[in-house]
Amino acid sequence: MTKFNNLLLIILMIILTKAVAAREEFTILTHDYPPYQYQQGNQLKGVSTAVVKEILKKLNYPDNIQVRSWNTGYYLTQTRTKHILFSMTRISERENLFKWVGPITSFTYYFFKKKGSPIHLTRLEDAKQVASIGTIKNYDTHLFLASKGFNNLKLISNDVNNYKAFSVNRLDLIPLGQLAIPFVAKQAQVKPTIFENTGVKLFEAHYYIAFSKDTADETIAQWQQALDEIKATGVYHRIYTQAIQSAYADFQVYDEKPTMVFFNSTPSDNPAWQHGETFMQAVADNLELNLEIYHANEDKYNLMNQIRNVLQAPTKPEAILFQQNDYYDKAILQLTDKFKIPAFMLSSTSEPKRYGIPRQQYPYWLGEMLLAQESIATHEIFLQGGWALILLHDYLQGFDFVEESLSFPSYNQPAIQHVAPQPLKTFQANNWSKIDFKQFSKRYNPELKQYNFSLAKLIQQHQDSLSAESSRNVIHLVTSEWAPYTSIKMKDYGVFTAIVTAAFQEMGITTEYLFEDWLKGYDKLLDGSQLATFPYTKTPKREQEVYFSPEIISSKYVLFYNKHYKTNFTYNNWQDLKKYNIAGVPGYFYEEKFKQQGINYYKFNSEALAFRELYQGHVDLFPTDELVGLTLLQELYPNTYKEVFSRLAKPLWISSFHVIFSKTHPDGEQMRNLFTEGLTRIKAQGIYQAILERGLQQH
């Protein structure tokens, strides 16, 4: 009996120990370092944040994460009990200071120099010769470099100030991971393209969740098991991808789309390059790049003048592409270096050209796309430019391909022999609409270790898409970020999108959405390459160009103003607006009305930019949909928008929002009629009203 009692006591103690471990209460800390963890309005977001929140949910812990400075969080977790800090790199210098759960994610640290800097490194020790290296106190890079005997470290207060100091040449080198560059650069208001990877690696970094040393081992085991299960079930990949995409949407790394210019030395009617340019345009559209193409018609003087004029223009492109030619390559590279514009060469041979190695003699020559002999046989010559655009796109977003190579083949050799003639004809007919080129990009797939540029993969993706769609009725619709009506960040993509989905679903049609610039979506309707887009207000011009659905949601456009600058507005009619400085977005419905009334306005590419001008007092009024304006202001200025902004009582315009359908697409009118029938049905069933009330209840 005694032995039984002792055994029972041991079991009870184990159960109680586990219960205590499960009930341990922690102060959970993090610090601002996008895209891993950052605040957006009142929300805490990021890759690491999403993983930690998933663990908290799985273990029934409260979500009470606090944002503190890095050094404060580091100090508290090291010296206080029951503290957690993420994300922290697990390195030998910290190993015994904390307990660890992870890794959450991994990346590589490299030394970066400023674009165009003459500094040349071949190994880590070379960096000891520069005057200053910027890092943050107690950062993994600080501890690592200090342990290696670096005495030229300059400790900066935070990442934003580190980036700013680097941008004004107060620092020679800065150790960074690729993924964070465009985000922190945005915070610091510096261009991400000023950072040039030296190719010299510091170490592989693994982000962990760090716990105070007093944490029970059972708790560490629970957290580790929860993380392992998240990874094993595929949840990790899903939330990682969603968090990355959300970060890019939140930070709007480029206020305007990056512009790439391709200088084609051949005539515009060259058959091979007609395919190539169509392919490039499809890639550019998919990756949201502006692509401009110049033809020199085999005239090298014309080509050089074109390049010189573009590089000398007040508004310069983010990068250029050009075809390799022994007669003028060096001259082009000298020009791009002079004007500090990144350049990418499309080679006509399978061997790298030896004007030196890219990024050495010509620092702004980023790399080259090689053409293998096999490419000519399989017509893959027309893929060169598109693949190069993906590399340049990733480079501008902080994913420098130098980690992999500076010279890329325009094909994947093992796959070439499997390419059949018929699929080749499919793509030579420029059928790129089924291809998601983001799948080839490291920016959209940070887990990609190596680029896979192959025609075989393009064909497979195209066939998979056709196979999937053949078994279901699918309609692809274009929309854009315009919360609360449409947003990739909202449940069901926003209330308007939810209604569209329900109406088509009622008719047995599956909806798929592409979020892109709204003007581009309208243009695609006009040329028939897209079937439908939304939300749009009726204007006489639009009613001539497209089919309109019945009204989906009513709209009230109001005039927002800044209470700190001007409040005594007189507005009874449109003519009264002439005396005020008005901000607007080109292409919106009021553009026609302003033109008719002779009202001039300052044009901005987005509502966010217009509101920033209003916030700074540079304009007096800004018209937009009332709900859109309030939603955006709450996101931009969560703590002050009510005190700063107001709107005139008299609306500018009462209207309605609709889905519009292409008049040039063969299915445009039929789909409009099917949607109208579906909308009528969901209204009769009460589905429409339920979606509307649920979607707008917070507004």
Side-chain angles (χ1 to χ4, degrees):
M1 189 68 177
T2 303
K3 288 183 179 179
F4 177 78
N5 288 341
N6 289 341
L7 180 60
L8 188 62
L9 182 61
I10 291 170
I11 294 172
L12 183 61
M13 289 177 65
I14 292 172
I15 294 172
L16 288 173
T17 300
K18 289 189 175 181
V20 169
R23 290 197 303 269
E24 277 194 289
E25 295 184 2
F26 290 96
T27 299
I28 307 176
L29 306 175
T30 191
H31 60 103
D32 186 70
Y33 191 60
Y36 301 103
Q37 54 269 339
Y38 64 93
Q39 281 186 296
Q40 180 74 10
N42 296 323
Q43 288 185 289
L44 184 60
K45 304 174 77 174
V47 174
S48 299
T49 304
V51 174
V52 171
K53 285 187 174 185
E54 191 68 25
I55 294 173
L56 294 174
K57 177 182 174 182
K58 196 172 182 64
L59 296 179
N60 295 316
Y61 276 84
D63 179 357
N64 58 355
I65 303 169
Q66 303 174 30
V67 180
R68 307 293 289 270
S69 72
W70 162 255
N71 278 312
T72 298
Y74 189 80
Y75 172 79
L76 291 175
T77 308
Q78 189 175 346
T79 60
R80 303 285 178 86
T81 61
K82 308 300 182 207
H83 274 64
I84 295 173
L85 176 63
F86 71 91
S87 304
M88 188 189 296
T89 309
R90 187 173 184 175
I91 54 177
S92 58
E93 290 82 0
R94 294 174 176 160
E95 183 63 31
N96 297 320
L97 301 179
F98 308 96
K99 291 186 177 181
W100 305 90
V101 169
I104 305 175
T105 188
S106 302
F107 60 93
T108 304
Y109 275 114
Y110 288 88
F111 273 128
F112 283 77
K113 65 179 181 178
K114 193 173 180 184
K115 175 64 70 179
S117 166
I119 293 172
H120 178 62
L121 307 180
T122 58
R123 57 195 183 97
L124 188 69
E125 291 295 308
D126 293 342
K128 291 182 177 180
Q129 308 307 314
V130 305
S132 58
I133 299 172
T135 186
I136 317 300
K137 184 179 179 181
N138 288 326
Y139 260 26
D140 44 9
T141 49
H142 169 214
L143 300 178
F144 173 81
L145 293 171
S147 72
K148 299 294 182 184
F150 280 76
N151 56 16
N152 55 349
L153 303 180
K154 191 167 186 177
L155 300 184
I156 310 295
S157 58
N158 57 52
D159 292 291
V160 169
N161 288 337
N162 200 27
Y163 276 50
K164 286 182 176 179
F166 180 78
S167 70
V168 295
N169 301 316
R170 287 172 47 207
L171 301 169
D172 296 306
L173 294 172
I174 184 170
L176 300 171
Q178 289 280 162
L179 185 58
I181 291 176
F183 303 99
V184 185
K186 184 75 172 183
Q187 290 180 320
Q189 297 182 319
V190 302
K191 286 190 174 183
T193 49
I194 70 169
F195 299 88
E196 181 178 342
N197 194 331
T198 65
V200 171
K201 175 180 171 181
L202 279 75
F203 59 93
E204 293 285 339
H206 305 284
Y207 269 167
Y208 276 72
I209 306 166
F211 291 72
S212 301
K213 285 285 285 184
D214 67 304
T215 306
D217 290 339
E218 290 83 359
T219 299
I220 299 297
Q222 286 178 353
W223 279 64
Q224 188 64 58
Q225 181 179 350
L227 176 59
D228 293 343
E229 289 174 359
I230 289 168
K231 290 182 176 181
T233 57
V235 174
Y236 174 87
H237 180 75
R238 174 179 57 80
I239 61 178
Y240 182 97
T241 303
Q242 289 175 347
I244 287 290
Q245 303 312 323
S246 180
Y248 274 99
D250 290 339
F251 278 80
Q252 297 180 351
V253 174
Y254 289 96
D255 293 326
E256 298 181 1
K257 294 179 182 179
T259 295
M260 309 286 180
V261 180
F262 173 44
F263 294 98
N264 190 336
S265 60
T266 70
S268 59
D269 59 357
N270 180 296
W273 274 108
Q274 282 180 336
H275 292 309
E277 289 175 3
T278 305
F279 180 62
M280 291 177 73
Q281 190 61 62
V283 173
D285 290 344
N286 192 233
L287 298 181
E288 299 187 16
L289 304 171
N290 288 323
L291 176 64
E292 298 177 7
I293 300 175
Y294 290 78
H295 294 94
N297 297 313
E298 307 293 358
D299 184 338
K300 69 177 181 180
Y301 298 105
N302 186 26
L303 175 70
M304 294 307 300
N305 284 333
Q306 289 175 341
I307 295 175
R308 194 174 288 107
N309 290 339
V310 167
L311 298 184
Q312 288 176 337
T315 303
K316 294 178 172 56
E318 274 68 32
I320 72 165
L321 304 92
F322 67 96
Q323 295 163 316
Q324 176 264 321
N325 188 296
D326 291 340
Y327 291 108
Y328 46 69
D329 290 346
K330 291 184 180 180
I332 294 174
L333 294 174
Q334 288 167 356
L335 273 177
T336 55
D337 267 20
K338 177 182 176 181
F339 290 98
K340 303 186 185 310
I341 301 296
F344 200 97
M345 182 189 296
L346 306 182
S347 178
S348 58
T349 70
S350 59
E351 294 296 326
K353 279 292 177 184
R354 287 305 165 223
Y355 315 117
I357 298 172
R359 310 194 190 197
Q360 291 190 6
Q361 182 179 351
Y362 302 105
Y364 283 83
W365 175 25
L366 296 185
E368 59 191 342
M369 184 66 66
L370 303 178
L371 181 66
Q373 203 62 32
E374 292 90 334
S375 302
I376 299 170
T378 59
H379 305 280
E380 289 196 57
I381 184 172
F382 68 83
L383 303 179
Q384 270 194 317
W387 296 142
L389 282 177
I390 293 173
L391 292 170
L392 286 172
H393 164 271
D394 285 4
Y395 172 83
L396 292 171
Q397 299 280 3
F399 291 82
D400 192 344
F401 48 85
V402 71
E403 293 186 32
E404 184 175 333
S405 180
L406 293 173
S407 301
F408 288 83
S410 60
Y411 69 101
N412 181 274
Q413 191 167 9
I416 287 177
Q417 60 191 23
H418 303 298
V419 178
Q422 188 58 42
L424 280 173
K425 290 180 181 179
T426 298
F427 286 133
Q428 287 170 359
N430 301 324
N431 296 317
W432 305 111
S433 60
K434 304 298 182 185
I435 304 299
D436 179 11
F437 294 101
K438 294 180 175 120
Q439 293 193 22
F440 297 88
S441 161
K442 288 186 179 179
R443 177 305 205 187
Y444 288 97
N445 305 278
E447 72 278 6
L448 279 181
K449 299 301 182 185
Q450 190 172 10
Y451 287 103
N452 179 15
F453 296 143
S454 75
L455 183 58
K457 185 175 179 183
L458 282 176
I459 292 169
Q460 186 60 52
Q461 190 183 131
H462 182 267
Q463 291 173 339
D464 289 347
S465 176
L466 289 176
S467 175
E469 290 192 7
S470 65
S471 61
R472 57 193 177 114
N473 292 321
V474 179
I475 181 172
H476 300 273
L477 299 101
V478 179
T479 187
S480 57
E481 282 292 325
W482 218 49
Y485 300 119
T486 68
S487 175
I488 199 169
K489 296 178 280 187
M490 296 181 69
K491 179 178 172 58
D492 300 323
Y493 298 143
V495 60
F496 197 107
T497 314
I499 292 170
V500 173
T501 300
F504 275 117
Q505 190 174 38
E506 179 65 24
M507 304 304 293
I509 299 171
T510 300
T511 50
E512 293 185 354
Y513 298 100
L514 172 65
F515 282 79
E516 65 176 13
D517 177 79
W518 74 276
L519 278 175
K520 180 167 285 188
Y522 191 83
D523 289 341
K524 287 182 176 180
L525 250 67
L526 296 183
D527 67 23
S529 60
Q530 280 289 349
L531 182 55
T533 185
F534 61 87
Y536 276 80
T537 302
K538 284 185 178 181
T539 68
K541 182 174 182 291
R542 290 175 182 171
E543 287 191 274
Q544 292 177 3
E545 296 175 336
V546 298
Y547 298 117
F548 274 80
S549 75
E551 175 184 330
I552 308 298
I553 293 177
S554 61
S555 164
K556 181 169 75 170
Y557 266 72
V558 297
L559 290 157
F560 283 86
Y561 65 90
N562 188 325
K563 294 187 287 186
H564 294 175
Y565 287 95
K566 192 178 184 70
T567 57
N568 56 334
F569 294 97
T570 303
Y571 165 52
N572 295 308
N573 54 56
W574 288 81
Q575 287 296 309
D576 290 338
L577 298 177
K578 285 186 174 182
K579 57 192 171 186
Y580 302 118
N581 293 321
I582 300 176
V585 179
Y588 276 30
F589 83 93
Y590 49 70
E591 186 172 45
E592 290 183 37
K593 195 71 173 178
F594 283 174
K595 187 175 181 180
Q596 293 169 2
Q597 299 291 330
I599 299 170
N600 295 319
Y601 70 99
Y602 296 94
K603 298 179 180 181
F604 301 97
N605 289 333
S606 68
E607 278 102 340
L609 292 176
F611 270 127
R612 289 192 182 104
E613 293 298 305
L614 190 62
Y615 181 81
Q616 294 168 7
H618 297 161
V619 295
D620 301 321
L621 296 167
F622 172 51
T624 191
D625 176 87
E626 187 172 36
L627 291 184
V628 170
L630 292 173
T631 302
L632 185 56
L633 287 175
Q634 188 172 2
E635 180 180 324
L636 293 173
Y637 309 103
N639 300 320
T640 60
Y641 78 97
K642 290 183 180 179
E643 290 73 33
V644 175
F645 297 96
S646 188
R647 52 209 184 273
L648 301 185
K650 179 181 173 63
L652 178 70
W653 193 260
I654 301 293
S655 185
S656 56
F657 289 135
H658 307 256
V659 181
I660 58 174
F661 296 81
S662 173
K663 283 188 175 181
T664 53
H665 193 288
D667 299 327
E669 187 173 13
Q670 179 189 7
M671 277 298 176
R672 190 270 307 268
N673 295 338
L674 286 170
F675 175 76
T676 300
E677 174 64 23
L679 182 64
T680 302
R681 291 184 187 181
I682 64 170
K683 283 185 175 181
Q685 297 167 15
I687 297 172
Y688 168 87
Q689 191 62 32
I691 295 173
L692 198 64
E693 291 175 358
R694 184 173 65 247
L696 298 180
Q697 63 183 351
Q698 296 180 348
H699 304 278

